[in-house]
């Protein structure tokens, strides 16, 4: 398999004349899900990703495989039921990077325990046979036992329920590699720069390798635009000459996460506050040895690749964390701050207004698939948890429009991803457990015991960097430290310290000098609070 993922081999395959069944633009959760589903059905598939797999929103989620307790409160039962089903599929297919996680909602008012408990019992019922554990009412003593970091002042009790958690970027890589093992060609650092149109129909795309600048034209029967918050820029490529600008499909909404040490929230449980003083949701989630605090939901007008947090967002998270945690995290306790853009789909009535002053909290989290007159298929919205069912829906649209012949699907609901094997809880520091059954292969690589960064039972070894280059299509320091290892997201200062060592190992693996300066600048950004 390793030689098939070598860059030279990928670029050679990209340039060979061929008509693909399906060309996918965008290597986030949704594009990768589409590529895998189509490859499993037996279609020939090519996917291009302008940056790196999951560089966009798909590495910046709260990492919850969930039905969405919040959407239950909004009465969005269809979305919750679908997502609960998908949560089960994700945990079954990638148990090394997706597992169940207990949550506690602490309650400070007499009515909250029965109110939230009843809602969560309904959540259990909706999960049916795919429930991960029953909801329980807790008294205040038990709540403090399970959440030793919770603010005990005024605590009435709590409610415990179960949901799922995953490593988003690593799951994306597993989707890419599993699709590649099924014959799909997936190329990162390769952007779509134009669509090929013939007689008003989309017949392929032009791509550019962003490393070497090599261009290629890919012919395809069907082109899927799965570029998340960036779908409108691809839709613009599909416009007739001189046509007025198309209505925008996406209203991006920014979400910020702060990472602090685990001692602010020790134990195995996550904390969820369903309604903070100003009506927002707050999570404190154990993840890879640290605690993630978040998140926010702020409409914005632009689409930067590395969005910056707003001062108000950071102060909201710190202020509300201080209310619910015994030890209030301070600004200088923050190890990393990362920001993602939700691709929320505007309601039909709001598309095309040109104004971006849309309240994103009221926009549905459901996804949308649009097939244009030219045959361009655009998919956006939804959530990470539902990537698989979104992919099925995309293929159903492609087949219904006659862009692809009918081929039965449904197989991905029970399709173990590469390395699938039970792993240690994701709350523990990163290590070999994230590689599942591939940990054996990892141990055969040079430097398996040479730790660049060491955490209890794990960390980042030289072998992991070599594995990233040989098997996970890593091309630069950021690819390794942000997405193959998650060190940038866990501890940005430590990630910067490891940049030179990672660059040296990558240079050895890739046969050319790999720079580290840009990554150090990026890491500095992940430490900067407004
Ligand atoms: C703060 C936050 C928290 C969230 N938490 C959760 C959660 O806990 N659970 C959950 O289920 N969901 C969560 N979500 C939602 C989830 O992360 C997204 O729905 C999902 O990641 C979107 O995936 P995508 O593939 O549509 O977009 P992306 O991951 O952004 O992928 C699109 C890709 O297209 C590429 N691209 C753009 N232009 C081009 C081009 N011209 N050529 C080639 N490639 C191109 C981009 O580089 C990008 O990688 C969260 C989202 C946010 C923002």
């Amino acid at each position: 398999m390793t030689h098939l993922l070598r860059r030279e081999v990928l670029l050679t395959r990209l340039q060979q004349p061929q008509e693909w069944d399906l060309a996918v633009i965008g290597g986030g959760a949704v594009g990768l899900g589409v590529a895998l589903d189509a490859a499993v059905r037996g279609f020939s598939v090519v996917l291009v990703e302008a940056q790196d797999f999951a560089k966009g929103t798909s590495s910046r989620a709260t990492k919850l495989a969930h039905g969405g307790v919040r959407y239950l409160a909004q009465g969005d039962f269809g979305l919750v039921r679908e997502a609960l089903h998908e949560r089960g599929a994700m945990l079954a297919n990638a148990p090394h990077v997706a597992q169940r996680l207990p949550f506690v909602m602490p309650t400070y008012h007499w009515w909250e325990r029965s109110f939230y408990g009843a809602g969560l019992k309904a959540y259990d019922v909706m999960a049916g046979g795919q429930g991960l554990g029953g909801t329980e009412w807790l008294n205040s003593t038990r709540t403090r036992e399970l959440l030793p970091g919770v603010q005990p002042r005024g605590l009435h009790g709590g409610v415990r329920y179960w949901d799922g958690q995953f490593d988003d970027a690593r799951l994306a890589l597993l989707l890419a590699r599993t699709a590649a093992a099924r014959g799909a060609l997936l190329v990162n650092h390769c952007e779509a720069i134009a669509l090929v149109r013939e007689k008003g129909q989309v017949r392929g795309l032009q791509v550019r390798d962003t490393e070497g600048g090599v261009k290629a034209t890919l012919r395809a029967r069907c082109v899927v635009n799965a570029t998340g918050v960036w779908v409108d820029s691809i839709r613009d490529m599909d416009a007739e000459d001189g046509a007025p600008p198309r209505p925008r499909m996406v209203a991006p909404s920014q979400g910020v996460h702060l990472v602090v040490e685990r001692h602010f929230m020790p134990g195995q449980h996550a904390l969820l506050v369903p309604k903070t003083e100003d009506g927002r949701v707050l999570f404190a989630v154990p993840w890879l040895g640290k605690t993630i605090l978040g998140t926010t939901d702020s409409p914005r007008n632009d689409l930067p690749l590395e969005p910056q947090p707003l001062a108000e967002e950071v102060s909201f998270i710190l202020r509300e964390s201080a209310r619910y945690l015994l030890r209030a995290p301070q600004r200088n306790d923050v190890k990393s701050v990362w920001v993602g853009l939700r691709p929320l789909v505007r309601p039909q009535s709001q598309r095309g207004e040109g104004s971006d002053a849309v309240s994103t909290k009221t926009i549905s989290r459901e996804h949308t698939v649009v097939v244009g007159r030219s045959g361009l298929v655009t998919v956006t919205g939804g959530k990470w948890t539902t990537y698989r069912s979104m992919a099925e829906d995309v293929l159903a649209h492609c087949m219904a429009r006659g862009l692809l012949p009918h081929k039965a699907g449904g197989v991905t609901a029970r399709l173990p991803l590469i390395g699938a094997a039970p792993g240690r809880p994701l709350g523990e520091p990163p290590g070999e457990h994230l590689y599942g059954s591939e940990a054996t292969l990892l141990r055969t690589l040079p430097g398996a015991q040479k730790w660049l960064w060491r955490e209890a039972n794990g960390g980042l070894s030289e072998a992991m960097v070599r594995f990233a280059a040989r098997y996970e299509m890593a091309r630069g320091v950021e690819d390794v430290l942000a997405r193959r290892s998650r060190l940038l997201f866990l501890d940005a200062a430590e990630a910067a310290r490891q940049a030179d060592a990672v660059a040296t190992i990558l240079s050895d693996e890739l046969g050319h000098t790999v720079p580290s300066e840009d990554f150090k600048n990026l890491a500095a950004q992940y430490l900067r609070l407004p």
Side-chain angles (χ1 to χ4, degrees), residues 167-428:
D167 182 337
D168 49 5
R170 286 203 67 82
L171 181 61
L173 291 164
L174 294 177
L175 292 174
R177 296 176 59 215
T178 308
R182 297 287 180 136
L185 172 62
L186 300 102
V187 190
N188 53 352
H189 301 286
C190 182
E191 63 180 342
I193 50 172
L195 296 174
V196 175
R197 287 167 58 102
E198 286 168 10
K199 297 188 186 138
Q201 295 298 295
V202 171
R203 292 273 177 252
L205 57 148
Q206 280 179 9
V207 301
R208 192 178 69 93
D209 157 27
T210 59
E211 286 188 358
V214 177
K215 290 186 183 166
T217 299
L218 307 177
R219 298 193 64 82
R221 300 163 79 162
C222 179
V223 176
V224 172
N225 169 15
T227 50
V229 288
W230 295 279
V231 284
D232 286 314
S233 64
I234 304 292
R235 278 158 58 81
D236 288 345
M237 294 178 188
D238 189 30
E240 302 281 350
D241 287 344
R246 272 171 196 272
R248 305 289 86 185
M249 261 183 90
V250 167
S253 152
Q254 164 161 306
V256 171
H257 295 92
L258 305 181
V259 174
V260 295
E261 289 294 2
R262 191 61 185 277
H263 58 71
F264 285 101
M265 247 263 311
Q268 304 301 320
H269 286 66
L271 175 150
L272 169 70
V273 177
K275 211 166 191 176
T276 58
E277 204 156 59
D278 61 359
R280 296 190 244 181
V281 179
L282 182 80
F283 287 106
V285 183
W287 188 63
L288 299 180
K290 303 274 191 250
T291 300
I292 303 177
L293 304 173
T295 179
T296 55
D297 198 340
S298 322
R300 64 180 294 163
N301 302 327
D302 54 346
L303 297 169
L305 262 179
E306 287 292 347
Q308 302 294 300
L310 304 173
E312 190 280 324
E313 294 179 301
V314 172
S315 54
F316 160 74
I317 296 174
L318 289 177
R319 186 180 66 239
E320 292 300 327
S321 302
R323 286 166 54 87
Y324 293 97
L325 297 181
L326 195 51
R327 289 191 55 203
Q330 308 297 318
R331 289 169 67 88
N332 58 9
D333 292 314
V334 175
K335 298 282 183 186
S336 181
V337 50
W338 32 275
V339 186
L341 300 180
R342 290 182 195 84
L344 302 183
V345 184
R346 287 167 190 266
Q348 201 100 39
S349 58
Q350 284 176 5
R351 287 186 210 161
E353 280 180 343
S355 151
D356 291 296
V358 176
S359 165
T360 52
K361 265 170 268 169
T362 58
I363 297 181
S364 167
R365 263 54 175 168
E366 281 178 56
H367 72 273
T368 296
V369 181
V370 177
V371 186
R373 264 199 295 275
S374 66
L376 177 69
V377 181
T378 298
V379 52
T380 192
K383 349 197 272 167
W384 230 122
T385 309
T386 53
Y387 79 90
R388 198 202 63 82
S389 56
M390 289 171 71
E392 284 191 341
D393 194 26
V394 168
L395 285 167
H397 275 81
C398 300
M399 293 186 293
R401 275 291 291 265
L403 298 164
L404 291 175
H406 183 80
K407 288 193 186 189
V411 178
T412 53
R414 285 285 170 268
L415 180 78
L417 302 183
I418 278 186
R424 285 210 319 263
L426 282 176
E428 297 193 16

Side-chain angles (χ1 to χ4, degrees), residues 25-26 28-30 49-50 57-58 61-64 192 342 382-385:
I25 311 174
V30 178
E49 161 54 52
T57 307
S58 295
T62 311
K63 291 125 188 43
L64 305 181
R342 290 182 195 84
K383 349 197 272 167
W384 230 122
T385 309

